[in-house]
Structures are given as structure tokens and as C-alpha cells.
Amino acid sequence: LHGGRVAHVTMPDGSRVEGDADRKPVEPAPNGWYGGWKTHVITSKYADAITRFSADFEVPEKPAANPGATTTYVFPGLEDADNAWILQPVLQWGQSACGPSQADQWTYQSYMVPSEDGLCSHASSSLNVEVGQKLRGEMELMPDGQWRVTSTVLQTGASTTLLIAGAKPQLTADLTIELYATDQTKVCDAYPGSPVAFSNIQLSTTAGPVNFDDIPWQKNDDPACMGHVEVTNDGVVTLDQGGCPVNSTTTCPGSSETCSGSTCCSGRSASETYQCPSADPQFKGCDIPMKMDDCTGLTCGHACDKFHSPYDQWNTYACFCAECAGQYQWECKNGTDTRMVDLNCNLVTGATGCASA
């Protein structure tokens, strides 16, 4: 596609491999996988095209999930106005459809992936990396019009580079955790075992360098997995599964609406508002005085991945968080019929519902 090729790979021992012969063949993603982008930040579309984007981060602890049945991707990335391509230096773990699939091993390599589902077109060779190693991911528009996507291990100097020609102008930048699993209830288990903190973030457009404080980040928490984004004044963006503080700014479940603390999210109608995931546990406001998701970890826990809340349907049942016998769990209703689901997503047979919190 449009002249994508590997330029060179510098191995940990300092040897250099060049040419198209070392391009890593990649295969379509398999059917039956669940997941997608989870906790991430993404910029608004720039009027002036992006010419460079880079970030440093450490290899986190390994996920708790079965590496043969899950995939974990961590990356900085760039996309064009039509989201036709994404350029990305990618740290990956598990059963990767677009990489070496070395199961219980973190690897790092450079990609260009089109938006078509299951298609991995161009990837550099991969580097094995270890927990705690410092990485740099860099995408830069070269004077000849090609994009250079470089994945570097800072301690060793090892790097792998992909050159892409013919790319459209890149207008949005992101920092992302992307997860997949063969069992939709295990997607959250694919989160890295420790927070991912991106630092030394540098972004330039055709108008020149952009100060970190002026980057128009849009935060996207992942309440279903208790994923949370933190952007600090020292130029660090942290993606974490540790939940969110009470009263912090987060995302309303099932929408792009943001909320903070003891406020209400919009429901299906004006009379069906529900609590913000970061609301104080004592807050009883909103039309539905309970949370669809709780990123604080103080009340309902996180939504079961097989019962996407709010109001998504499991068969014909709409699910929301309720309190029964002093314990929080999911109550799924269809008319007068009610089913209960415990915090481990298991159907409670014979249950007919209970009073809500």
C-alpha cells in the first residue's frame, strides 16, 4: 500500500539489517475477538497538519490475562482526517494478530495499519523488550514526504523503523491502550499490570512545535474496566486501570459526554439521567439514583463486559447497577421480568430482583 517498506532494523547487539527482505509478514485479525480502544487520549483535529509526534514510556508489568487468548497494545499514534490509516510504534503482548504472537513476551515494533477491520498491511521487524525498559515511539514526516515510524529501546539503542510513502496529512494524535480477548468477559484482564505513563511528549505541526499545555487532549476513560486517564501539569499522560478519584472528570458510560463528581449523565430520555461514575458514594441524585459504572471502586465495581451498560441489551434485558442484600450487583430487566447478575457476571438463577440502592 502506497510504498510502505521497512527501512532498517538496528538490533540490540548493534548489528543493522536493511531492505524490504526483512519486512515482517502480518496476518488478518481472527474472528471471535472482543475489545478495541480502551483508556486513551486523542487530540482534536488540527487545522495545520502534524509533522512530528513522539512520546517516551516504560514497559509495564505483564497483564494478568492468559496470553494465548488476549492481546494488549500500548502506543502513541497518528491518524488522518478520514481515519484511513494509523501510524504507530506499538508495544504488544499476547496473541497478536499483527505481530510476532510470542504470548508471554512484550515486543515492540512500528506499524501502518489501515482502518479496514482485520487488515495489517505494513509492519517492521519486532524487538523483544522487558518490564521496566524505557521506550520511545516517534513518527516524523521526512523532507521527501515519507513518514518515518521508529520504535526505540532507549537503554540499548535498539530500534526498528518503518517508512511509509503516500500518506494523507496526519491531523490527530493519540496515546492509547487497546485490548482484545476471545472471551468478552476477559477483556479487562488484558490491561497492563501497572500504569503506563507517557512523558517527554513532543508534537509539531506545519505551524511549528506545540506546547504540551496547548495540546487539545480529549480524555477517554474506560469505566467498564475502571480505566482512567490523568493528564498532569508536568507533561505526563498516565493510563491506568486503578480507577478514578471521587469528583474527578471522567466519561459517561455509553457516550462521549463528560461529567465530574456528584452530577448526572444524560439517559435515553430527559427523565432517565443517571449518576456520573466519579460521583461521591453518598450522592443520591439523578432520575436513576445509582451508577451505571463506578470508576471509584467504592460502590458497584465495574460493569461486566458481557452486559455493556447503560441500556445496551443483553438479549432483551437492559442492565443497571443495584444493591441487593447489602451487596452491589447488576439487575437486568425486560418489562416485569428481572434477572440478577453477580459481580462476577454470573446469572443468579431464580432471583426476581430486589430493592435498588
Side-chain angles (χ1 to χ4, degrees):
L1 275 175
H2 301 280
R5 64 183 182 88
V6 171
H8 65 266
V9 181
T10 305
M11 302 306 291
D13 62 1
S15 62
R16 182 181 176 98
V17 180
E18 303 197 34
D20 292 341
D22 281 274
R23 190 168 88 189
K24 169 73 178 176
V26 288
E27 300 175 355
N31 293 325
W33 287 73
Y34 302 90
W37 283 30
K38 305 298 282 184
T39 306
H40 66 281
V41 293
I42 190 168
T43 65
S44 305
K45 290 183 179 179
Y46 277 93
D48 300 309
I50 296 170
T51 57
R52 184 175 182 271
F53 181 48
S54 69
D56 297 349
F57 60 106
E58 285 190 8
V59 180
E61 296 292 332
K62 296 176 182 179
N66 174 4
T70 55
T71 303
T72 304
Y73 296 125
V74 180
F75 57 87
L78 287 177
E79 294 184 79
D80 56 72
D82 300 322
N83 297 323
W85 292 3
I86 183 169
L87 306 176
Q88 47 187 175
V90 180
L91 176 68
Q92 56 202 8
W93 180 89
Q95 190 65 31
S96 174
C98 293
S101 294
Q102 296 189 41
D104 195 20
Q105 172 68 54
W106 285 111
T107 60
Y108 196 34
Q109 67 189 115
S110 302
Y111 286 116
M112 185 285 286
V113 182
S115 60
E116 291 90 344
D117 289 341
L119 181 60
C120 303
S121 294
H122 295 85
S124 70
S125 298
S126 64
L127 301 170
N128 287 349
V129 293
E130 304 301 331
V131 173
Q133 285 190 310
K134 297 183 184 299
L135 309 179
R136 175 168 295 162
E138 183 177 14
M139 293 144 283
E140 185 174 12
L141 182 63
M142 306 303 292
D144 63 1
Q146 294 189 97
W147 275 94
R148 183 178 64 190
V149 184
T150 306
S151 303
T152 302
V153 183
L154 293 177
Q155 284 102 327
T156 66
S159 66
T160 177
T161 300
L162 178 70
L163 293 181
I164 293 294
K168 297 179 180 179
Q170 305 297 297
L171 301 183
T172 60
D174 65 88
L175 302 167
T176 299
I177 291 177
E178 182 178 3
L179 309 175
Y180 296 94
T182 55
D183 181 341
Q184 59 186 340
T185 68
K186 302 299 183 182
V187 174
C188 296
D189 295 340
Y191 260 91
S194 57
V196 178
F198 292 94
S199 62
N200 191 27
I201 298 167
Q202 300 183 28
L203 189 149
S204 296
T205 71
T206 54
V210 180
N211 186 281
F212 178 84
D213 293 336
D214 296 326
I215 298 176
W217 295 120
Q218 299 174 8
K219 297 168 57 177
N220 293 271
D221 288 338
D222 176 24
C225 294
M226 294 188 70
H228 180 62
V229 176
E230 184 177 9
V231 180
T232 57
N233 293 332
D234 58 355
V236 177
V237 175
T238 301
L239 310 181
D240 188 12
Q241 198 189 12
C244 66
V246 172
N247 296 326
S248 62
T249 300
T250 185
T251 306
C252 291
S255 74
S256 59
E257 179 183 356
T258 59
C259 62
S260 299
S262 299
T263 57
C264 302
C265 294
S266 302
R268 290 178 297 184
S269 69
S271 61
E272 293 183 322
T273 60
Y274 55 93
Q275 293 181 356
C276 177
S278 66
D280 187 283
Q282 304 304 314
F283 179 59
K284 298 300 180 184
C286 309
D287 297 311
I288 301 173
M290 59 187 67
K291 297 182 182 181
M292 299 302 175
D293 280 315
D294 176 22
C295 62
T296 69
L298 299 176
T299 54
C300 301
H302 61 77
C304 299
D305 224 34
K306 69 170 73 171
F307 305 107
H308 300 284
S309 67
Y311 308 123
D312 285 355
Q313 299 299 303
W314 171 57
N315 294 332
T316 57
Y317 289 80
C319 303
F320 60 90
C321 188
E323 184 179 28
C324 186
Q327 295 186 348
Y328 290 95
Q329 56 192 22
W330 291 98
E331 184 172 345
C332 303
K333 289 186 175 182
N334 179 11
T336 58
D337 182 18
T338 299
R339 296 185 182 186
M340 301 302 298
V341 183
D342 66 23
L343 291 179
N344 293 317
C345 304
N346 299 312
L347 184 67
V348 180
T349 58
T352 57
C354 59
S356 61

